[in-house]
Amino acid sequence: MKNKKMKIARIEAEVSQERLAEIVGVTRQTINLIESGSYNPSLKLCIEICKALGKTLNDLFWEE
């Protein structure tokens, strides 16, 4: 399932995939795979992404 919440939060924060990847210590391709739903990140990576975007785990990764 695509992670549209993460992509929207990243765009609203005016952060590129490349910059977010630098902040959390992964490659741009990893960020792209998470947003496209092709990669399931570790909890640690999810937390780092949330910190970088100023969001909670529920905001970005909780499916309703």
Side-chain angles (χ1 to χ4, degrees), residues 10 21-22 50 52 64:
R10 180 180 57 74
E22 289 172 5
C50 288
E64 294 160 19

Side-chain angles (χ1 to χ4, degrees), residues 15-54:
V15 176
S16 67
Q17 285 185 344
E18 187 170 347
R19 181 65 187 129
L20 181 57
E22 289 172 5
I23 293 167
V24 301
V26 298
T27 65
R28 184 202 56 80
Q29 290 86 350
T30 300
I31 299 300
N32 184 55
L33 289 171
I34 294 168
E35 288 182 358
S36 69
S38 300
Y39 179 75
N40 190 14
S42 68
L43 180 57
K44 181 180 178 189
L45 180 53
C46 290
I47 291 169
E48 291 302 316
I49 291 169
C50 288
K51 285 181 187 177
L53 297 176

